[in-house]
Every structure is written in structure tokens, then in C-alpha cells.
Amino acid sequence: MLDCCEPLDRVKAEGITFGKLACLAYCAGAKVEAYRTSHSSVDDFHNHVIKCTSTEDCHLIASYHRKPLKQTGSGHFSPIGGYHAGSDMVLILDVARFKYPPHWVPLELLWEAMDTIDEATGHHRGFMLLSRLQKAASLLYTLSCCHESWVSMARYLIDDVPILLKSEDLSSVPEVLLLLFKSLPANAGDFIKWIAEVRRQEEDGSSLSKEEEERLAAKEEVLQQVRETELYKFVADLLSSASLCRKSFSSLSNNDSLSEIAASVCCQGAAILTGGLGVIQQFCSRATCVKCFRANGDAPITVVSGMVVSGKNEQGVDMLVPESTAKSKSCCSSNPNDCVLKHPGSSDALTVLLLALPPCTWQGIKDERLLAEIHGLFSIENLPDVLQQEVLHLRRQLYFLNKVQDKDIEDEILLPSQL
């Protein structure tokens, strides 16, 4: 599930650096405070250890070299599970339990092991504090780097888009969007995903818990707020334009097919639920069906049920689908009802992704009137609080992914003020 900042197959083969681990924790929704030993002190570390081992609300991960601890191996990460004040020792919950069970070491010795240089980055190791955010960092959308195309997409959004805008004489918002969409890298739709909730199939298949209803309602609130923005109307109309349809945007081609989304999500869900995440390709969706039912007399809820097969085993999986009504002014189809897209689709994802671009992105637009209109259209100051937080989270993810791509994430110290 942790597919941000560094592809998991690379982590498995090469490990992960201090900066990328902090990036990964943040992108996965944790509050992160990261400190290298070169920007901290043993006294600071001592205070943080006491704080984090005295509460369940904070966790401390140490990045250290094994050699000062007289252990075999090199760079390593492990959480701190306890502190003994009388002996000033910390309990390392070594994640390689097959090699070293949990063990106590003097705090100052651990600091010495952390105060070493990681040869892969040239930077000091250190420690990071992880805690739960007051609110979920993201309710509906997240950026993903599980596909190789994320590198080109991050570079395009941060580096190429400003250059494109400078190089063209643009006079309207549709011209700006058309320029950006026609230049999208291949598989751009893999870069931003909406978060689907999956569960094992219920026997009666017709009930949601209170928590499930609340999470689904929160996703639908975000989706509705996206579709109420002025930018969404421009994006939706452009993507459904009779002269363009989807053929001009092949990179987004299969993003809106609920059946294809459901088949993929149900396979991922079954893999997670059965503990076989590393072998998702062995899971095959045999069939999916869409069911609607009412919970406590409220609005109908859509559930996609799928039967996933892996070898001789079968797993029934439900995907809870957030919905919101949406209609554009034009449509490729002659039937206006075909323009209604209820579940999250390309128009929603592109709208949120565009809102997440840094404000400086648009400075190269030459037409002052258009620049003012663009600033008003892309400003997040007047967005509803829920959507504003969603956009800010994506903006921070994009910032960190760009740092990872430029290989200078290790130069960043992720202090609270930067997050």
C-alpha cells in the first residue's frame, strides 16, 4: 500500500534512504517530524525518546548504522519501543527479528550509531517522529508512483508546464487547458488515483457500518465540492468536447470505466485482505456486478461486488463507490444522459491535480487579463475547507515527489513548519 516516493520493488532490492522514508510516511498520511543528527543534538533526541515512549500518540524511528552497536550489517531503520530512565537505555524493536530480537542499548550509543554518514546520500542519519494527523491527510485523492510514468508526469507538471505557458500566446482558459492536456505524458491517468474502500463481501451484501457510511460520505463531499468549482466546468466541457472527445487524450483513455476500475481494485483488495499483496498479478477478477441499496433510508449507495480468483481460492470483495451528480454542457454522445458521470473520473482527477499545482506555475502567461482570470480560477483560498485540505495534501505530495525525482529529497529536513 505504500507506493509513494519510491517503487516498492526498488525498496525491496536496494533499501530506502532517510529522506524517502520520511516522504513515504508523509504521503501515506502520517504527521512527520524528521531530524538528522547534524541538525539536532543528543539532548533533543533524549527528550523526544522520553516523550514518544510515554504516549501511544507518537512513534520514533531511528536511522542508524549497525557497526557501533557491534552488529553485522550496515544502515538500518527500527522503531524505539521503550526507555529505561535508571540506565538511560532505549529498547530497539529491530524489524529484522530473525536476526536480532528486541534489545536494549545505551541511548548515547544509539546516538553515536545515528550520527554517521549514509554513503548513498552523503548525509547524516537521524530519527523521525510519526504521529497521527488531527484529520485524514487525504479523503479521496492521492498521487501514486507505483507506475514508472510518475517520473515523467512529475517533471511535466513542475518543470515543463511553466515553459509551455511561456512559449505560447494564449488568450483564454480553454486554450490553456487544451495546451496542457494535449501535452500530457503517456499514462498520465496513473499518476493520480481516487482512493477506493474495499472489504470482504458480507453474507447479505446489503449493510454498511456507521464508520463505512461516514467515510463514504466524506469522499462524496470532496467529490461534490470538486464538481462545484468553476475549474471543473472548464475541464469537463473540454474533455467531453464534440470536436475532441477522448481520442485527443489517450493518456486518460480508460480512467472512467467503472467495470475496469472495479476489476483492478477488487484484485488489489483481495490481495491485501489475504496477505498476498506482493503477488497481485496472481489475482484475477472473475466477475463484477454493481448493486445499489439504501442505508437507513438515506440516498442509494453503490457497491461493486467482485469475485476474485487466485489458483483454487476465491475471495468475494466489495468496493464502496463514492458518487456525485455531474453534467457538462456538451457531450460526444447524442444522448445527454450519457454525460452524467457519477463515480470519480478523469475530469475530477484533472481538476484536483491542476488545483494542486504551485501558484507560480501560471506566471509565464503573457496576457495580463488571462493571468488574472487564471489566478482566480486556480486559487484555493476560497475553496471549502475539506477540498482545500485535499488540494494542499496533493500539493505537498507533488513537492516531495519532485524532490525525489531531482534526487535532492535528502537535502530537505522535514520540520513541522514545512509540512
Side-chain angles (χ1 to χ4, degrees):
M1 296 171 68
L2 305 178
D3 66 349
C4 191
C5 305
E6 187 81 315
L8 291 183
D9 56 349
R10 187 176 301 164
V11 175
K12 185 176 181 180
E14 303 173 9
I16 191 169
T17 62
F18 184 81
K20 288 181 180 177
L21 182 64
C23 173
L24 181 65
Y26 176 78
C27 288
K31 179 183 176 182
V32 187
E33 299 174 53
Y35 303 90
R36 297 190 189 280
T37 55
S38 54
H39 291 77
S40 185
S41 68
V42 66
D43 290 334
D44 290 336
F45 177 58
H46 182 266
N47 293 334
H48 285 304
V49 165
I50 292 175
K51 174 186 172 184
C52 285
T53 54
S54 304
T55 176
E56 295 182 356
D57 298 329
C58 175
H59 303 279
L60 190 151
I61 296 176
S63 169
Y64 58 98
H65 198 289
R66 284 191 181 278
K67 187 175 181 181
L69 305 186
K70 295 184 170 34
Q71 298 175 350
T72 59
S74 54
H76 193 55
F77 292 98
S78 283
I80 303 303
Y83 173 70
H84 186 263
S87 59
D88 195 29
M89 299 182 83
V90 295
L91 177 63
I92 297 180
L93 301 180
D94 200 313
V95 295
R97 293 191 65 156
F98 67 93
K99 191 173 183 180
Y100 295 102
H103 51 278
W104 292 91
V105 300
L107 184 143
E108 291 201 4
L109 180 60
L110 178 57
W111 175 263
E112 180 185 330
M114 294 192 303
D115 193 23
T116 51
I117 302 294
D118 182 355
E119 293 180 0
T121 65
H123 291 280
H124 285 78
R125 296 182 170 88
F127 62 96
M128 61 188 73
L129 314 178
L130 269 59
S131 57
R132 186 173 184 169
L133 291 170
Q134 294 280 328
K135 298 189 229 177
S138 175
L139 296 173
L140 185 57
Y141 292 101
T142 187
L143 301 184
S144 170
C145 72
C146 59
H147 299 275
E148 291 183 1
S149 58
W150 78 267
V151 175
S152 59
M153 190 60 181
R155 182 179 294 116
Y156 173 73
L157 293 173
I158 297 297
D159 299 333
D160 298 346
V161 166
I163 296 173
L164 269 176
L165 295 173
K166 259 185 202 176
S167 65
E168 299 284 338
D169 290 319
L170 304 165
S171 59
S172 69
V173 172
E175 285 184 11
V176 171
L177 296 180
L178 181 59
L179 175 66
L180 301 191
F181 293 170
K182 290 182 76 171
S183 304
L184 282 172
N187 302 315
D190 292 329
F191 187 59
I192 181 168
K193 300 288 189 181
W194 60 276
I195 301 168
E197 181 164 350
V198 295
R199 63 178 191 175
R200 287 186 176 88
Q201 228 167 70
E202 300 289 337
E203 288 186 10
D204 60 6
S206 61
S207 63
L208 266 68
S209 68
K210 181 180 178 182
E211 291 78 10
E212 287 173 330
E213 288 183 32
E214 289 175 349
R215 289 194 296 268
L216 192 59
K219 287 180 170 62
E220 290 178 340
E221 182 181 8
V222 172
L223 185 59
Q224 186 61 44
Q225 289 179 359
V226 170
R227 290 175 175 171
E228 289 174 354
T229 63
E230 287 298 312
L231 178 59
Y232 172 81
K233 296 171 186 175
F234 281 106
V235 172
D237 288 342
L238 189 59
L239 288 187
S240 61
S241 167
S243 61
L244 292 170
C245 286
R246 291 298 173 86
K247 62 185 179 182
S248 297
F249 307 115
S250 57
S251 57
L252 306 171
S253 55
N254 294 320
N255 244 24
D256 293 341
S257 169
L258 185 56
S259 59
E260 292 188 22
I261 294 171
S264 173
V265 169
C266 286
C267 287
Q268 293 178 53
I272 293 169
L273 294 170
T274 58
L277 186 59
V279 287
I280 290 178
Q281 62 272 19
Q282 296 180 13
F283 290 79
C284 174
S285 178
R286 191 177 68 188
T288 59
C289 66
V290 179
K291 298 182 289 186
C292 294
F293 60 87
R294 294 182 181 273
N296 302 322
D298 296 329
I301 292 173
T302 298
V303 175
V304 179
S305 295
M307 185 59 65
V308 178
V309 180
S310 176
K312 296 181 179 179
N313 300 318
E314 292 186 346
Q315 173 70 60
V317 178
D318 286 339
M319 180 178 84
L320 310 184
V321 183
E323 292 183 323
S324 171
T325 56
K327 184 179 288 189
S328 66
K329 297 175 185 175
S330 57
C331 184
C332 295
S333 167
S334 59
N335 182 356
N337 291 329
D338 291 340
C339 296
V340 177
L341 181 64
K342 294 190 127 181
H343 63 276
S346 298
S347 297
D348 314 298
L350 279 173
T351 299
V352 174
L353 188 57
L354 289 171
L355 288 170
L357 294 181
C360 60
T361 299
W362 318 103
Q363 293 303 322
I365 295 176
K366 301 168 187 175
D367 187 315
E368 292 186 6
R369 178 199 57 78
L370 176 59
L371 180 59
E373 184 179 2
I374 287 289
H375 278 318
L377 201 60
F378 287 84
S379 172
I380 67 171
E381 291 181 4
N382 297 322
L383 292 178
D385 183 63
V386 173
L387 180 55
Q388 187 179 97
Q389 294 306 311
E390 193 86 358
V391 170
L392 286 173
H393 176 69
L394 291 175
R395 185 175 290 176
R396 291 172 186 135
Q397 279 191 314
L398 184 59
Y399 169 80
F400 287 131
L401 288 179
N402 189 55
K403 289 293 183 183
V404 169
Q405 167 208 269
D406 291 340
K407 303 187 185 304
D408 59 1
I409 187 70
E410 303 304 330
D411 294 330
E412 300 294 318
I413 297 296
L414 308 179
L415 297 175
S417 59
Q418 294 174 283
L419 301 181

